[in-house]
Amino acid sequence: MRTLVRGGMVVTEAGTVSGNILIKDGRILGITEAQDADAVIDAAGKIVMPGAVDIHTHMDLDVGIARVIDDFYSGTAAAACGGTTTIVDHLAFGPKGCSPWHQIREYHRLADGNAAVDYGFHGVLQHVNDEALDDMAAIAREEGITSFKAYMTYDGRLEDLDLMKVLERAAREHILIAVHCENHGIVTYYRERFVREGKTQTRWHPASRPAEAEAEAVNRLLYLARAAGEAPVYIVHLSTHSGLEEVRRARAAGQIRFGVETCPQYLLLDEKMYDDPKEGLKAVMAPPLRRQADREALWEALAGNELDTVATDHCPFTFAEQKQLGAQDFTKCPSGAPGVEERLILLYSEGVRKGRITLPQLVKYACTNPARVAGIYPKKGTIAAGSDADLVILDPDREWTMTTGRLHGNADYTCYEGMKIQGAVEQVLLRGRTIVRDGVFTGARGDGQYLHRGISSLA
Ligand code: MN
C-alpha cells in the first residue's frame, strides 16, 4: 500500500520544500510530484517534519528513594503525542558491582513489548575493570548499544583514572561515552554545608551545584578525552554559559570528536522557579535551572550551530507525593522533571516562532543530529528515500495553553504550566502508521521496535 502525505511544507535540516511524501511498507519512497496513492493524508497548510528523536530519557528509572512515574508505555505514548517517534533511554545503575549486562537485560524486560515508539538504550558504566570494559565492547557489538554513560558525580561516579581507561577503550572500539559533567567535590561540599546550616529550601539548590561545578567537569572531560587519544564523548544536558565557554575553548583548540546536548528546561526556565519553596520542588534536577544570562547564551549557541542536540532528560516524579520527599530538605527530593512530550512544540513555539532558531535548525537539533549521534541516521531523523516513514504533521496556526491536563504522561505537573503555545502536533506517523491523530494517541503498547544502533557519528 502506498500512502501520500500531500501538500505540506516539508522540512529537513537542509531547508524547506513544498511537496508530497510517498510512503510504502513503512519507508519513505521519496518526495514526489505524484498526487494519488492508496491513501492520502492532507497536509495542506501544515509543516511536515521527521519524527523527533529524544536521546536522553529515563523511563521506568528506579533511583532507590523513588521510581519515575512513566514506564516504557506511558512515557513513549506521551513522547508520540509530542511528535517524538524514537527515544534512546539512559539506564539506571544496577546493583553495586553488577556487570554492564545486568541493566541491559533488565531494560529489555521493561521496554520490550511495552514501548509505543522505537527505542534504544545507552549502556551505563558504574565501575571499571577489564571485565567491564570487555563487556562494554561486547554489548556494543551484540546489542547495538554503541554509547555508554558515565557520571562524574553521584555514588556511581567514575574517577579520572577509571574514566581514562573507559575513554581509551571507547576510542579504539568506536563507542561514544556520554557524560554527566559536574565536579563531585564542589557539589558535595555545598550540599553538606547547606544542610549543616539549615539552608534546605529549594532556593539553595542552584547554589549547591554552581556553574563552576559544570564548567570544571566539562573542561576536565574534554582534556581526558584528548589525553586518551581523541576519545569520542558527548556532554549531556549542558546548562551554563561557563560550561559553554569550555566547549568553545576545546573547539577553538581543534578538538572535534565530541558533541554537546542541552535541554528545553535550560533554555526556557530559570532559577527564579526555586524562590517558591513549594513550586520549586517541581524543578529540582541536576544540573539545576540557571540564570537568565545562561539561557540567553544557550539560545545564542543554538542559533550559531555551536551545540549538537536538544534532548529532554525526561525523568518524571509526582509532585503530590514523590517530590514531597524534599519538602523539608531539597537534598532529599528525587531529582528530575517530565519533558518528553513538551520538547518539540516548545522548541517550535519558543524557538522558531520567536526567531531564536530557524525551522531547519529545529529539525537538526530535535531530529537529525540526535539520530546521527545515536548511530541511527538516516533510518531515523530525516525525510529521504529509504528512511523510516516517521513523520510529524504540525499545525502552525493552532494556539493553546500548556497545561498538565492536555499532556499524556503520568506526571501530575508540567514545568511549563500556563505557557502560551503557538503551533500543535496534529498527526504522527511511526513507520508509516498513524499513532497520533488530532492530538490523540492512536498507537498501541508494543508498537515500538528495539533499535540495534550503528556507530555514532561522533565516534
Ligand atoms: Mn539524565
Side-chain angles (χ1 to χ4, degrees):
M1 188 178 110
R2 288 167 177 242
T3 303
L4 195 68
V5 179
R6 192 167 66 191
M9 182 165 80
V10 179
V11 189
T12 65
E13 64 170 359
T16 61
V17 57
S18 49
N20 306 328
I21 301 168
L22 193 59
I23 298 167
K24 185 168 184 265
D25 298 331
R27 295 217 176 153
I28 293 167
L29 285 181
I31 298 174
T32 168
E33 299 286 305
Q35 294 294 318
D36 289 303
D38 304 306
V40 172
I41 295 170
D42 179 18
K46 308 287 164 61
I47 292 167
V48 184
M49 62 175 71
V53 178
D54 187 350
I55 60 171
H56 192 156
T57 63
H58 295 280
M59 304 304 176
D60 237 333
L61 180 76
D62 186 347
V63 293
I65 54 168
R67 190 177 190 107
V68 298
I69 198 72
D70 275 326
D71 61 18
F72 272 87
Y73 175 60
S74 67
T76 53
C81 292
T84 291
T85 50
T86 299
I87 64 164
V88 183
D89 201 78
H90 281 290
L91 311 187
F93 289 127
K96 199 168 173 56
C98 72
S99 154
W101 279 105
H102 181 282
Q103 289 304 86
I104 308 291
R105 295 190 188 105
E106 170 68 2
Y107 271 69
H108 272 302
R109 189 181 70 76
L110 295 171
D112 295 355
N114 286 320
V117 302
D118 290 354
Y119 62 98
F121 306 132
H122 303 280
V124 64
L125 294 160
Q126 55 191 90
H127 66 269
V128 176
N129 54 34
D130 288 345
E131 200 182 349
L133 294 176
D134 288 344
D135 285 346
M136 174 174 80
I139 288 166
R141 282 193 307 272
E142 295 170 27
E143 287 283 327
I145 294 177
T146 51
S147 51
F148 278 71
K149 176 109 166 255
Y151 293 80
M152 296 172 83
T153 187
Y154 301 127
D155 284 346
R157 71 187 174 280
L158 302 186
E159 304 297 346
D160 292 351
L161 174 59
D162 284 338
L163 278 170
M164 282 302 294
K165 293 174 181 172
V166 168
L167 292 168
E168 188 277 335
R169 185 66 180 268
R172 280 193 285 135
E173 305 276 357
H174 299 277
I175 293 169
L176 180 66
I177 304 300
V179 184
H180 177 125
C181 296
E182 284 185 295
N183 178 296
H184 186 68
I186 295 174
V187 170
T188 305
Y189 170 80
Y190 278 112
R191 282 165 69 90
E192 288 180 356
R193 177 174 152 182
F194 288 166
V195 168
R196 200 166 58 238
E197 294 174 351
K199 295 172 174 170
T200 56
Q201 305 93 326
T202 55
R203 70 191 175 89
W204 295 98
H205 173 51
S208 76
R209 312 184 86 93
E212 290 81 359
E214 178 171 272
E216 188 283 329
V218 166
N219 170 285
R220 182 157 39 100
L221 173 71
L222 291 171
Y223 273 114
L224 291 171
R226 277 178 72 176
E230 287 284 336
V233 293
Y234 178 74
I235 295 161
V236 298
H237 52 48
L238 187 82
S239 65
T240 61
H241 186 198
S242 306
L244 176 62
E245 289 298 330
E246 299 300 333
V247 167
R248 287 173 171 155
R249 178 203 52 71
R251 294 215 206 273
Q255 191 166 354
I256 53 169
R257 210 179 176 192
F258 73 96
V260 185
E261 167 193 288
T262 191
C263 309
Q265 56 270 33
Y266 304 117
L267 296 164
L268 297 171
L269 305 172
D270 63 50
E271 63 182 15
K272 287 197 291 292
M273 204 167 160
Y274 299 119
D275 290 348
D276 181 332
K278 193 165 180 299
E279 289 293 301
L281 290 170
K282 292 178 177 176
V284 171
M285 60 181 76
L289 303 178
R290 306 296 189 176
R291 297 169 186 169
Q292 174 79 20
D294 294 295
R295 293 175 42 191
E296 287 169 10
L298 292 172
W299 276 118
E300 275 172 32
L302 286 177
N305 299 305
E306 294 181 281
L307 303 178
D308 295 275
T309 61
V310 181
T312 63
D313 204 359
H314 178 75
C315 190
F317 297 99
T318 62
F319 179 59
E321 290 183 20
Q322 292 171 309
K323 283 289 192 181
Q324 300 307 318
L325 290 168
Q328 306 304 320
D329 178 349
F330 75 84
T331 67
K332 300 208 162 52
C333 185
S335 183
V340 75
E341 185 172 356
E342 295 97 316
R343 176 183 66 140
L344 186 68
I345 206 63
L346 287 173
L347 290 174
Y348 176 74
S349 183
E350 291 289 316
V352 176
R353 294 302 288 259
K354 294 194 172 171
R356 290 157 156 160
I357 55 173
T358 65
L359 196 47
Q361 281 179 315
L362 166 64
V363 169
K364 181 178 76 160
Y365 290 124
C367 313
T368 318
N369 275 353
R372 285 195 182 100
V373 168
I376 50 177
Y377 176 87
K379 175 182 169 66
K380 302 294 188 187
T382 191
I383 297 174
S387 296
D388 282 359
D390 298 348
L391 298 173
V392 176
I393 299 173
L394 191 150
D395 182 348
D397 297 325
R398 191 113 59 89
E399 294 177 14
W400 58 291
T401 300
M402 182 78 75
T403 186
T404 312
R406 294 191 61 163
L407 299 174
H408 299 79
N410 284 343
D412 56 356
Y413 76 96
T414 171
C415 289
Y416 309 96
E417 185 72 34
M419 188 177 274
K420 299 276 184 254
I421 303 293
Q422 179 71 47
V425 171
E426 187 176 272
Q427 187 164 351
V428 179
L429 278 68
L430 174 67
R431 285 177 272 105
R433 286 184 45 224
T434 294
I435 59 168
V436 175
R437 191 189 302 278
D438 298 329
V440 177
F441 180 65
T442 59
R445 183 188 291 272
D447 278 351
Q449 293 180 352
Y450 175 70
L451 293 164
H452 187 106
R453 298 184 286 120
I455 289 171
S456 168
S457 60
L458 298 170

